[in-house]
Amino acid sequence: GRGHHEEAAELLVPVIEAWQASGQRNVADVLRAQRIRSLIACNQLDKARALVDEALARLDPRTEAPRVASFLRESALIRLRRKDAKRAMGELAQARKLFATGGNRREEALTLYRLAHAAFEEGDLETASARAREALALARKIAHTRVIALCRELQGRLALIADDGKTAAAAAKEAMQSLRKLGDEIGALHVSESLLRALIVNGDQAGAIRLGPRVSDQAEKLEIRDIRIRAVVLTGVALLRRGRFEAAARCFRELPDTALSPTSSALMWRFGEALASVNGNLPVMFERRSKWVAALRRLPQAQQLTARHALEQLDLPPHDRCLLRTGDGERLVTSEEIGWLDLPASVELFVDVQNGRLVARQRVQTFDHHGLHRLFNQLVIAAPRPLDKARIYAFAVGEAPPAKLDKRVKSLIAQLDKQLKECKGVRLSPTKDGLKLVLPRSFAFLIPRAALVPGLTGEQRKILRLLRRYGTQSAQMLQERLRLPRAAVRRELGGLLRLKLIGTVRDGRGQAFRLS
């Protein structure tokens, strides 16, 4: 129940042997099925398969149908883990038939729930949703309170993945209350963590701040360290989103990866990245980003994208909303997608315009001065089209272009061309109307959306930088940081809303905004 499956599988061996020696084969088989479940959780599928096969070969379905059905259920879970869904469903159907023949509808409902949960773990959300509905209908028909609670908890998690925080919170609350009435403290604790996350996604940060410490205290009492740490971090997330940075910072710890599960490590490091963003510490921010990505990659492949989506839902800074441009086209990406793609290692040329990073063939390149960097960024934004003379002059010397290039611009272009010679496959090419960047076969550019919108005022650019760094800012906070009258801030925000560069997080007196 506390997730220590390796220890459970080991401790069950002598217990099973003792029951077997005393002639209590039925009890021994019940415990054997529990051990198989722990082995599956540890991903020791070969060992679990051997135990299942031995039990099914030994048991007679005519006289020992309930035990055969139990081992068929475990066999189906193993097959589902190995992507053999067709045979898994066949074995599940056999198990249900045997349970139904014996009149054991309670085990039939529990079997359906377990398959739904396994499908959820394997990333098959459609199967998980269908089986959960089927299990819930049967459980309600036979008044199986535990299965009802478990199915509602799973439906809450499915709703959370679908970004329906309101439904997720309602389902989790219902499941938590039912499990508490059953006296299942550990089950109620797991559900309360889901509720905590649902409250954050639903925008109820005050409710999350109240619930978080209670979940943490209960997890500490039950000695479930991972849930305690996740509850502390989620409380910090809610505090950060309410603008209480100092209180949020106290929820972060740099813990070794081996001390936590991959999902707990990823949550901690993503939260740490957000804190570094608010502090404006880019090197630390990128270091922590690489750590949460590495933690998620330790998960089974089927769970990785779901886990990444769970981090995206927390809506933490930095709020990167960049256009990713490659040879295959362009699309909008978020902070989590940017970290996940590992672009510097996957292409010959990587340019992050927003953070001033240039990596050519996995070597970090720098420019001698800011003017070169600004000109290069404009060439990247224009690529693969040429940058016209008017824009070259605007960014190089801040003047309208004369008939011919003057010495200042020629010198700047020559310096840039010289520095780009260190980047193989990248060079400048003069055109009739301006200057073009010649690119290697594989490249990736991250371009902030604002860089593609002409005519933004200086104050609007400052607002966008603040929203990226802090994630969410109220109109009052923006007014204080920009030191502008309220009417002026409202005017600038209105322009950004019309351009759809920002969106409203909440309305009313405490109206707040974020990048869209």
Side-chain angles (χ1 to χ4, degrees):
R2 290 176 168 81
H4 304 158
H5 290 289
E6 289 185 6
E7 187 178 358
E10 184 180 340
L11 290 173
L12 279 169
V13 174
V15 183
I16 293 167
E17 291 174 351
W19 282 107
Q20 189 76 30
S22 64
Q24 298 289 333
R25 292 175 55 206
N26 192 15
V27 177
D29 278 339
V30 170
L31 296 175
R32 198 171 276 115
Q34 290 180 10
R35 181 167 182 253
I36 289 167
R37 218 164 299 136
S38 285
L39 290 171
I40 294 171
C42 298
N43 209 32
Q44 296 182 34
L45 301 184
D46 290 338
K47 191 179 287 188
R49 179 81 261 168
L51 289 173
V52 166
D53 290 344
E54 181 274 328
L56 291 175
R58 170 170 51 82
L59 296 170
D60 185 349
R62 291 171 299 181
T63 58
E64 299 168 305
R67 281 188 277 170
V68 171
S70 295
F71 285 107
L72 281 171
R73 182 169 61 196
E74 307 309 330
S75 178
L77 298 183
I78 295 170
R79 294 194 191 283
L80 195 64
R81 182 67 66 91
R82 286 179 164 166
K83 310 300 182 188
D84 188 359
K86 187 175 181 181
R87 293 178 72 181
M89 294 302 293
E91 288 183 332
L92 177 70
Q94 282 182 266
R96 288 183 65 192
K97 187 176 180 181
L98 288 171
F99 281 132
T101 301
N104 197 337
R105 305 302 300 277
R106 293 175 68 82
E107 283 297 328
E108 184 183 355
L110 192 57
T111 299
L112 277 170
Y113 163 73
R114 283 186 179 151
L115 189 78
H117 188 273
F120 177 83
E121 291 292 320
E122 295 304 311
D124 186 352
L125 303 184
E126 188 177 343
T127 298
S129 181
R131 294 296 164 265
R133 284 196 303 271
E134 196 176 350
L136 182 60
L138 176 57
R140 281 177 170 162
K141 184 177 180 181
I142 62 174
H144 195 328
T145 308
R146 178 173 293 280
V147 173
I148 292 171
L150 293 174
C151 288
R152 290 296 287 148
E153 188 268 343
L154 183 56
Q155 287 181 329
R157 289 211 255 171
L158 288 164
L160 200 55
I161 290 173
D163 297 318
D164 186 354
K166 187 175 181 180
T167 300
K173 196 172 290 185
E174 181 186 331
M176 184 173 69
Q177 290 169 351
S178 294
L179 290 169
R180 280 179 177 164
K181 287 179 182 177
L182 291 170
D184 185 354
E185 291 188 1
I186 292 177
L189 175 64
H190 282 278
V191 179
S192 64
E193 184 198 348
S194 296
L195 175 59
L196 176 58
R197 190 180 289 271
L199 290 174
I200 293 172
V201 173
N202 200 35
D204 186 1
Q205 311 307 328
I209 291 168
R210 288 193 299 272
L211 178 62
R214 297 205 298 269
V215 177
S216 174
D217 291 344
Q218 183 68 2
E220 187 172 14
K221 176 184 172 184
L222 296 174
E223 299 179 359
I224 305 179
R225 188 186 185 206
D226 263 290
I227 292 183
R228 183 180 68 81
I229 289 172
R230 288 198 295 271
V232 170
V233 177
L234 289 170
T235 305
V237 168
L239 289 166
L240 185 62
R241 288 183 56 176
R242 287 294 293 265
R244 295 167 59 182
F245 176 75
E246 291 183 4
R250 291 194 291 270
C251 298
F252 175 74
R253 295 287 186 278
E254 290 197 13
L255 299 173
D257 289 338
T258 53
L260 302 171
S261 67
T263 50
S264 300
S265 291
L267 178 62
M268 180 68 83
W269 288 119
R270 180 63 187 92
F271 177 54
E273 180 191 356
L275 294 173
S277 171
V278 172
N279 277 328
N281 193 334
L282 292 184
V284 172
M285 189 184 85
F286 289 125
E287 179 189 355
R288 291 175 179 175
R289 178 178 291 182
S290 67
K291 288 186 175 180
W292 70 252
V293 170
L296 287 191
R297 292 198 188 281
R298 285 163 37 207
L299 287 169
Q301 192 168 7
Q303 299 176 24
Q304 291 179 6
L305 292 182
T306 302
R308 193 191 82 191
H309 180 64
L311 295 181
E312 288 177 347
Q313 287 181 313
L314 298 177
D315 220 14
L316 290 166
H319 269 265
D320 286 317
R321 297 294 186 272
C322 293
L323 195 72
L324 171 61
R325 182 179 294 161
T326 66
D328 298 326
E330 53 187 40
R331 62 186 177 93
L332 194 66
V333 291
T334 63
S335 295
E336 287 75 15
E337 287 179 287
I338 291 167
W340 188 256
L341 292 170
D342 192 20
L343 295 169
S346 60
V347 292
E348 294 174 84
L349 176 66
F350 168 69
V351 182
D352 181 352
V353 173
Q354 186 155 249
N355 295 304
R357 291 192 297 164
L358 167 61
V359 183
R361 298 180 187 271
Q362 301 188 38
R363 287 184 59 189
V364 177
Q365 306 288 335
T366 57
F367 293 99
D368 289 344
H369 58 82
H370 185 62
L372 289 179
H373 203 162
R374 288 186 66 199
L375 178 57
F376 178 74
N377 278 348
Q378 292 306 310
L379 286 164
V380 167
I381 292 168
R385 299 178 301 276
L387 183 66
D388 60 70
K389 287 182 181 178
R391 293 177 69 192
I392 292 174
Y393 270 83
F395 284 96
V397 293
E399 298 176 5
K404 294 182 179 180
L405 293 175
D406 68 10
K407 291 181 180 179
R408 292 172 297 174
V409 177
K410 281 184 177 180
S411 173
L412 195 65
I413 292 172
Q415 291 178 60
L416 181 58
D417 192 36
K418 182 180 178 181
Q419 288 212 239
L420 289 179
K421 285 179 180 176
E422 298 177 17
C423 307
K424 293 182 180 180
V426 189
R427 61 183 176 84
L428 298 179
S429 175
T431 66
K432 181 181 178 181
D433 299 320
L435 192 64
K436 183 178 180 180
L437 197 62
V438 178
L439 304 172
R441 285 182 302 174
S442 64
F443 64 90
F445 298 156
L446 285 174
I447 304 169
R449 290 180 67 202
L452 303 169
V453 180
L456 290 179
T457 67
E459 300 305 330
Q460 286 175 334
R461 294 186 184 280
K462 287 179 183 177
I463 289 172
L464 292 174
R465 284 196 293 270
L466 287 169
L467 293 181
R468 176 185 179 266
R469 178 176 173 180
Y470 292 98
T472 301
Q473 288 281 276
S474 66
Q476 180 66 33
M477 288 296 293
L478 290 170
Q479 183 183 342
E480 292 174 6
R481 293 181 187 279
L482 295 174
R483 297 180 181 178
L484 288 175
R486 188 174 185 83
V489 173
R490 289 287 178 188
R491 184 174 59 252
E492 304 294 0
L493 287 169
L496 292 172
L497 284 167
R498 285 191 294 275
L499 291 168
K500 297 182 179 180
L501 291 174
I502 66 172
T504 305
V505 179
R506 58 179 180 270
D507 292 312
R509 188 175 180 182
Q511 190 176 27
F513 305 87
R514 66 180 175 190
L515 297 183
S516 62

